[in-house]
Amino acid sequence: MLETLFPNVDWPAMWEATLETIYMTAVSTLFTFIIGLVLGVVLFLTAPNQLWANKVVNWLSGAFVNIFRSIPFIILIILLIPFTKFLIGSIRGPNAALPALIIGAAPFYARMVLIALKEIDKGVIEAARSMGATTWTIIRKVLLPESKPALISGITVTAIALVGYTAMAGIIGAGGLGTLAFLDGFQRSREDVTLVSTILILVIVFAVQFVGDFLTSRSDKR
Amino acid sequence: MIELKGLTKVFDTGKARLTAVDHVDLRVPAGEIFGIIGYSGAGKSTLIRLLNGLEKPSEGSVEINGQNITAISGPKLRKARQKVSMIFQHFNLLWSRTVRENIEFPLEIAGVGKEERRKRSAELIELVGLEGRETAYPAQLSGGQKQRVGIARALANDPEVLLCDEATSALDPQTTDAILDLLVDINKRLGLTIVLITHEMHVIRKICHRVAVMEDGRVVELGEVLHVFQHPKENITKRFVAQVTETEDSAETVRHLREQYPEGQLVKLIFVGDQAEQPILTQLIREYQVEVNIVHGNISHTQRGAYGTLILQLKGTADEIAKALAFLGAHDVQTEVMGNA
Ligand SMILES: Nc1ncnc2c1ncn2[C@@H]1O[C@H](COP(=O)(O)OP(=O)(O)OP(=O)(O)O)[C@@H](O)[C@H]1O
Ligand SMILES: [Mg+2]
């Protein structure tokens, strides 16, 4: 049945590519989350009238975020080739895609973190200060928990974007479903391979969306 | 005791300089409920935020129980803030935490252990009357309940001073009264000093011992609530007092009343706060051969008793009426005969 519908699909290879895509998405999402969160919190707290108000740091982190958010991903990969070589030792394979994926997505997520933190009622931060909380306590016990639903929905959107980025990285040889769809499917005119790869990517995206939505609504007590 | 000396706060917003608090000198003895009233923009919030160091003064000092709040910072200031807690107009609860977790938050900040926190929060929940709602989230509570959580949270670290910034302004009149009763109860039970700011004279009248009237960053009038009610000096104060009592009856109304009540004698009683009006009236009616009709009344209840006027029509022999008036005089009620029919 599957053989007749998709004569050219090499199922073990397809499976392996799927795992590679999941691997790249998961690892890059994890690092994007951590780096984006730190950057977002720094952007928030160093803004004028905030707890760490600091023009220089705010400007620098803002510039970093804006520049890397604006560079098209495909160009970012090329720009980062020397860096990737130095870090990973190769520019092929799933691990080689990670630096570009993370550097491309973390600023994007940092923006979303900033927006989420700005949504927090200033009054609760003031209340925490009036109780004698340190800034660290405010970050841990006020800023992050109070913006949790937005942080989760933000990382969901970012993870989905990262699935797309992995496919793009696949075209220049990162592996995963992108490579399979492009090299095996498109370049050799095997439409069935492209189709199955696409379906699998969609399945991954929907799964991420589903889990993200579930976690978001569960954390929202408003 | 709280002592403010020459307290001034100037906001420098680029081109404009705004003096939000202007050389305020105040002393609030321990255990007092002190009210600050003023219109929007008078500088009340800025003043109260200076008291716990959320705002740094441009000039002057704040001393709370011998500690100069304006001179300390860092860990010392954070420690001091645990003893000067605050409640807010919009409650400022963490929506991601349950009632109990919100109340435990300041205890976490103070480094209190888990078991002790649980015990303390249970006591506080009982104190503010929220039993059964421990695991509710703020979104599931009414405004009055949210403020109860705010109060419990503020009391968690056994503060010496409670600052209330428009704590009842977002509540309906009935809920306001319940919250005010709770504050009075806490003040009596825990001997806590309360500084509250409001733009409602009703709040001042109901729970404050003394009041300061603020206008343009300055304290323009200060005194015992009852005294300020009876003898408001500044125009702004008169307007606030008029919120809760219509002032002096004009000659017009007196004539009108006389026409309406042609018989007997009209007497105006003035209560100045050290006596409750009801027992006195009851006694008057029981013990003297006079018929008493209440013609007009305007009584406010303050922390130090009733304040206001009551106009009575007394019918009976001249002798009995004279005795009745003597009785009232003996009970420190000022009387004023408004004329015979
Ligand atoms: N951070 C700030 N920067 C600049 N100006 C400020 C700041 N905070 C307050 N002000 C100004 O100080 C004045 C007093 O404000 P404040 O909030 O103390 O008034 P308020 O009496 O509490 O008024 P309301 O009843 O509306 O709460 C206002 O004119 C306000 O615009
Ligand atoms: Mg205010």
Side-chain angles (χ1 to χ4, degrees):
Chain A
M1 164 74 178
L2 278 175
E3 277 5 28
T4 48
L5 265 179
F6 310 109
N8 302 311
V9 176
D10 173 353
W11 292 102
M14 188 61 82
W15 177 238
E16 189 167 330
T18 307
L19 288 182
E20 276 174 2
T21 295
I22 292 174
Y23 168 80
M24 284 188 282
T25 308
V27 175
S28 61
T29 300
L30 178 70
F31 281 94
T32 296
F33 179 71
I34 296 166
I35 297 169
L37 203 59
V38 172
L39 262 177
V41 169
V42 168
L43 273 175
F44 178 76
L45 287 179
T46 55
N49 294 323
Q50 291 295 347
L51 292 168
W52 287 341
N54 184 319
K55 276 203 179 106
V56 178
V57 177
N58 193 249
W59 188 88
L60 283 177
S61 50
F64 176 81
V65 164
N66 284 330
I67 290 170
F68 282 92
R69 207 165 49 107
S70 311
I71 301 176
F73 182 66
I74 199 81
I75 296 175
L76 188 67
I77 297 176
I78 296 165
L79 285 176
L80 285 176
I81 283 176
F83 177 67
T84 304
K85 240 186 190 150
F86 164 76
L87 207 68
I88 313 287
S90 152
I91 58 158
R92 303 195 75 77
N95 280 326
L98 293 176
L101 289 172
I102 294 163
I103 292 173
F108 178 72
Y109 185 54
R111 271 277 145 197
M112 287 199 262
V113 172
L114 177 64
I115 292 167
L117 296 179
K118 278 184 175 169
E119 284 294 302
I120 298 174
D121 183 0
K122 276 178 135 168
V124 295
I125 299 171
E126 169 129 336
R129 286 221 293 147
S130 81
M131 291 171 212
T134 59
T135 304
W136 177 234
T137 303
I138 292 175
I139 294 173
R140 243 169 9 110
K141 301 202 168 189
V142 180
L143 296 184
L144 300 185
E146 290 289 292
S147 60
K148 201 156 137 201
L151 295 180
I152 297 175
S153 71
I155 200 63
T156 307
V157 172
T158 309
I160 289 168
L162 278 167
V163 175
Y165 285 178
T166 63
M168 239 190 278
I171 293 173
I172 60 151
L177 293 166
T179 303
L180 210 63
F182 183 69
L183 295 182
D184 245 35
F186 176 71
Q187 291 201 328
R188 295 161 79 174
S189 298
R190 293 168 168 174
E191 277 79 19
D192 57 336
V193 175
T194 313
L195 181 66
V196 172
S197 306
T198 310
I199 291 172
L200 287 171
I201 286 175
L202 286 179
V203 168
I204 295 173
V205 168
F206 290 146
V208 170
Q209 185 77 60
F210 179 80
V211 173
D213 287 351
F214 171 75
L215 293 177
T216 303
S217 70
R218 205 186 56 170
S219 67
D220 199 345
K221 300 293 196 299
R222 272 173 291 200
Chain B
M1 184 171 88
I2 303 172
E3 194 162 11
L4 313 184
K5 282 189 200 145
L7 196 61
T8 301
K9 177 72 190 184
V10 181
F11 286 112
D12 226 333
T13 51
K15 27 190 166 9
R17 276 167 60 85
L18 193 138
T19 309
V21 175
D22 196 356
H23 294 92
V24 169
D25 296 288
L26 278 179
R27 263 163 175 273
V28 181
E32 183 170 74
I33 304 183
F34 186 83
I36 299 170
I37 190 164
Y39 290 113
S40 190
K44 310 180 297 290
S45 294
T46 308
L47 179 65
I48 211 163
R49 288 160 50 84
L50 285 162
L51 294 187
N52 60 1
L54 282 177
E55 210 77 75
K56 286 274 162 223
S58 310
E59 245 181 80
S61 66
V62 176
E63 209 170 271
I64 295 182
N65 294 332
Q67 188 169 36
N68 188 344
I69 297 289
T70 43
I72 54 175
S73 62
K76 259 191 165 162
L77 177 59
R78 288 198 294 270
K79 193 96 195 135
R81 279 180 183 157
Q82 290 171 10
K83 295 291 168 194
V84 184
S85 57
M86 196 164 182
I87 58 176
F88 306 86
Q89 178 174 7
H90 298 293
F91 325 122
N92 297 351
L93 304 178
L94 292 141
W95 63 257
S96 58
R97 287 176 170 238
T98 62
V99 166
R100 179 194 286 140
E101 290 164 349
N102 263 291
I103 297 172
E104 289 183 9
F105 185 36
L107 296 166
E108 290 169 25
I109 291 172
V112 176
K114 193 168 177 199
E115 230 162 83
E116 182 62 29
R117 288 205 302 263
R118 197 40 67 90
K119 206 175 122 234
R120 184 85 186 112
S121 64
E123 287 167 15
L124 289 160
I125 284 167
E126 199 189 317
L127 178 74
V128 299
L130 280 176
E131 297 98 325
R133 304 310 312 267
E134 290 85 347
T135 56
Y137 284 91
Q140 301 164 317
L141 302 177
S142 69
Q145 289 173 326
K146 284 183 197 156
Q147 197 57 291
R148 285 173 191 273
V149 178
I151 292 171
R153 181 175 74 171
L155 296 177
N157 282 319
D158 290 316
E160 289 149 2
V161 177
L162 180 64
L163 308 174
C164 312
D165 188 349
E166 303 271 6
T168 57
S169 299
L171 305 173
D172 62 55
Q174 232 174 328
T175 315
T176 293
D177 280 355
I179 293 293
L180 294 178
D181 287 339
L182 177 62
L183 289 177
V184 172
D185 181 49
I186 288 164
N187 165 260
K188 288 202 178 120
R189 265 210 258 181
L190 312 175
L192 199 71
T193 310
I194 298 180
V195 177
L196 70 84
I197 64 181
T198 181
H199 56 261
E200 294 171 312
M201 201 60 182
H202 164 79
V203 172
I204 301 281
R205 187 208 82 193
K206 192 159 179 337
I207 74 167
C208 293
H209 302 132
R210 284 195 310 147
V211 61
V213 182
M214 246 183 122
E215 192 175 24
D216 293 332
R218 276 168 300 122
V219 170
V220 293
E221 195 155 352
L222 172 74
E224 293 272 330
V225 169
L226 212 55
H227 188 262
V228 170
F229 261 71
Q230 290 170 313
H231 311 287
K233 287 199 290 282
E234 302 291 324
N235 278 332
I236 179 175
T237 316
K238 286 177 186 156
R239 267 184 285 156
F240 278 124
V241 171
Q243 277 182 7
V244 278
T245 54
E246 315 140 2
T247 34
E248 290 316 284
D249 20 43
S250 62
E252 184 66 34
T253 43
V254 172
R255 194 162 51 236
H256 187 71
L257 284 174
R258 270 197 222 153
E259 273 167 27
Q260 259 186 308
Y261 299 92
E263 291 172 69
Q265 200 161 46
L266 285 181
V267 181
K268 182 160 103 181
L269 313 188
I270 302 165
F271 292 90
V272 291
D274 292 326
Q275 66 294 83
E277 82 284 7
Q278 277 148 343
I280 292 178
L281 284 188
T282 312
Q283 222 180 330
L284 179 74
I285 295 165
R286 279 212 198 110
E287 295 182 11
Y288 298 88
Q289 298 299 317
V290 289
E291 196 186 319
V292 177
N293 284 316
I294 295 177
V295 171
H296 180 86
N298 198 335
I299 300 278
S300 288
H301 292 270
T302 72
Q303 277 300 296
R304 302 264 157 91
Y307 158 70
T309 57
L310 206 56
I311 298 176
L312 304 181
Q313 178 193 32
L314 300 180
K315 286 194 276 187
T317 62
D319 194 31
E320 276 301 313
I321 289 176
K323 275 196 218 161
L325 292 179
F327 160 80
L328 290 170
H331 285 80
D332 282 337
V333 181
Q334 295 175 37
T335 55
E336 202 176 287
V337 176
M338 296 173 78
N340 300 305

